[in-house]
Amino acid sequence: MKVKIMQVGPIATNCYFLIDPDSNQMAVIDPGDEPEAIQQAMEETGAEVKYFLLTHGHYDHTTAVPSLHRVYPDAKIYIHQADANGAGSRLFPLAGEVEGLLFYGEGDALDLGGHTITVLHTPGHSPGSVTLKVDDVLFTGDTLFAGSCGRTDLRGGSYEEILRSLKRLGELEGNFHVCPGHEGTSNLDRERKTNPYMKEAMAQG
């Protein structure tokens, strides 16, 4: 499995390309802005886009979806239903812009070539925030950042819920690569040891 990253939009959202070399299939995670630039980068991979996968419904993670969907109408678009119509202030109402929007939730699994993308519902930053787990990688959206976590002061956010989500991620077995929605990547062992929010979450009973 190959993972490519590009930053898009005014607050540098991480857009990920998840590519299975054997099947030449690709999932694009959080195409948040700059659809033309994302399309060019997609075409440069030479892979067939199978999915657009959204970790949550905030505008900076979803804005490019309608434009890209017009170019790639056969690619399936998934979001958690709780965020499909927006999850707080300054959100993109995706359900009103895209036909055939699909919903995923806790425990759902999507095939990408020989790999399985598993959905973990990790609310707190927004009601429909999810983490996508594939092989030894976690795409955490705005739930878990390197050394921090997503804000919870937007409508629908909850500090108590994000702590429960961070605790759940921290209790996963193994040292996963952490690919967050903004800024740099990390790994789960480092976050368990140094991230104050995850340490607070892990300390809870």
Side-chain angles (χ1 to χ4, degrees), residues 38-162:
I38 294 175
Q39 181 183 344
Q40 180 179 344
M42 291 169 62
E43 291 175 353
E44 288 174 356
T45 68
E48 174 191 0
V49 60
K50 186 174 183 179
Y51 304 115
F52 293 109
L53 305 179
L54 305 172
T55 61
H56 61 292
H58 288 160
Y59 77 98
D60 57 313
H61 292 253
T62 65
T63 295
V65 170
S67 295
L68 291 171
H69 183 51
R70 287 191 286 271
V71 180
Y72 304 98
D74 294 332
K76 296 180 179 179
I77 306 167
Y78 281 90
I79 191 171
H80 193 283
Q81 190 164 16
D83 277 14
N85 291 296
S89 60
R90 296 188 68 203
L91 296 189
F92 194 79
L94 195 63
E97 298 287 336
V98 175
E99 294 184 2
L101 190 65
L102 299 172
F103 302 127
Y104 53 19
E106 174 63 34
D108 287 340
L110 303 175
D111 293 329
L112 187 70
H115 303 266
T116 300
I117 303 168
T118 303
V119 180
L120 309 178
H121 185 207
T122 50
H125 177 65
S126 71
S129 287
V130 301
T131 292
L132 302 173
K133 180 169 70 74
V134 54
D135 298 341
D136 62 346
V137 183
L138 298 173
F139 297 94
T140 57
D142 288 2
T143 298
L144 172 63
F145 296 141
S148 187
C149 69
R151 60 189 296 182
T152 59
D153 59 334
L154 296 174
R155 190 175 38 158
S158 166
Y159 189 68
E160 291 75 17
E161 281 197 330
I162 207 168

Side-chain angles (χ1 to χ4, degrees), residues 156-174:
S158 166
Y159 189 68
E160 291 75 17
E161 281 197 330
I162 207 168
L163 286 182
R164 286 194 288 270
S165 294
L166 292 172
K167 180 179 175 65
R168 179 186 185 188
L169 294 179
E171 290 179 343
L172 293 174
E173 294 185 5

Side-chain angles (χ1 to χ4, degrees), residues 190-201:
R190 183 183 305 147
E191 297 310 304
R192 292 179 182 119
K193 294 175 182 176
T194 65
N195 186 318
Y197 298 98
M198 180 163 278
K199 289 170 69 175
E200 178 183 354

